[in-house]
């Protein structure tokens, strides 16, 4: 049984310029591959509740939290992981087919996406009964990602940052790939 409870409802939801504001993350870890010295980066994806394909944890950014807190909360609620937010990857606009309301009748959303270095996988989490988590290489994740905007976040946000950072650039991250 999970002691954590997922937030529900829209009474504290943030909106800006006719768009619902959401926060999400690309959870990642390092794995040593077959005795090799170099560590392989893997990203965590979860199943969609409404169709085929995999996604990254994301959800509404609420009035009583920072965008970083919202992204970390969604990682716990949807994927059952905790970690450190290490990099803001960018804003990604998309149209939600399922979340249209009075404040956002067209269903337009803007997602703030972060890289989250996972340091704990929970045995139980709020959406465990409806979510399955899967660790994948970036290449595997790209091919299985349900949404184009999430593929873009993975390739132009996460991969570009991680490749540059692991070669000694953009040193503001606090995770060690070596």
């Amino acid at each position: 049984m999970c002691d954590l409870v997922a937030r529900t409802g829209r009474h504290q939801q943030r909106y800006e310029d006719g768009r619902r504001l959401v926060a999400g993350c690309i959870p990642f870890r390092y794995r040593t591959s077959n005795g090799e010295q170099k560590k392989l980066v893997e990203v965590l994806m979860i199943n969609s509740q409404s169709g085929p394909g995999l996604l990254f944890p994301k959800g509404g950014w609420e009035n009583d939290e920072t965008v970083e807190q919202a992204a970390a909360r969604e990682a716990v609620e949807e994927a059952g992981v905790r970690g450190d937010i290490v990099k803001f990857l960018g804003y990604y606009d998309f149209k939600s087919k399922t979340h249209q309301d009075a404040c956002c009748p067209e269903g337009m959303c803007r997602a703030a996406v972060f890289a989250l270095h996972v340091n704990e996988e929970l045995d139980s989490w709020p959406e465990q009964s409806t979510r399955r988590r899967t660790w994948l290489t970036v290449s595997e994740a790209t091919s299985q990602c349900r949404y184009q905007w999430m593929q873009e976040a993975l390739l132009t946000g996460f991969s570009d940052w991680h490749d540059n950072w692991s070669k000694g650039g953009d040193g503001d991250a606090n995770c060690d790939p070596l």
Side-chain angles (χ1 to χ4, degrees), residues 27-31 40-43 116-118 121 135:
F28 72 100
R29 70 177 182 189
Y30 295 102
R31 181 177 58 84
L40 176 71
V41 66
E42 293 180 317
V43 295
L116 179 123
H117 187 213
V118 173
E121 286 187 57
W135 287 102

Side-chain angles (χ1 to χ4, degrees), residues 4 25 40 49 54 59 73 91 111 117-118 123 136 155-156 159 163 173:
L4 300 169
C25 63
L40 176 71
Q49 293 178 318
L54 298 176
R73 175 179 50 78
Y91 289 107
H117 187 213
V118 173
D123 292 329
L136 303 161
L155 294 174
T156 64
S159 291
D163 290 347

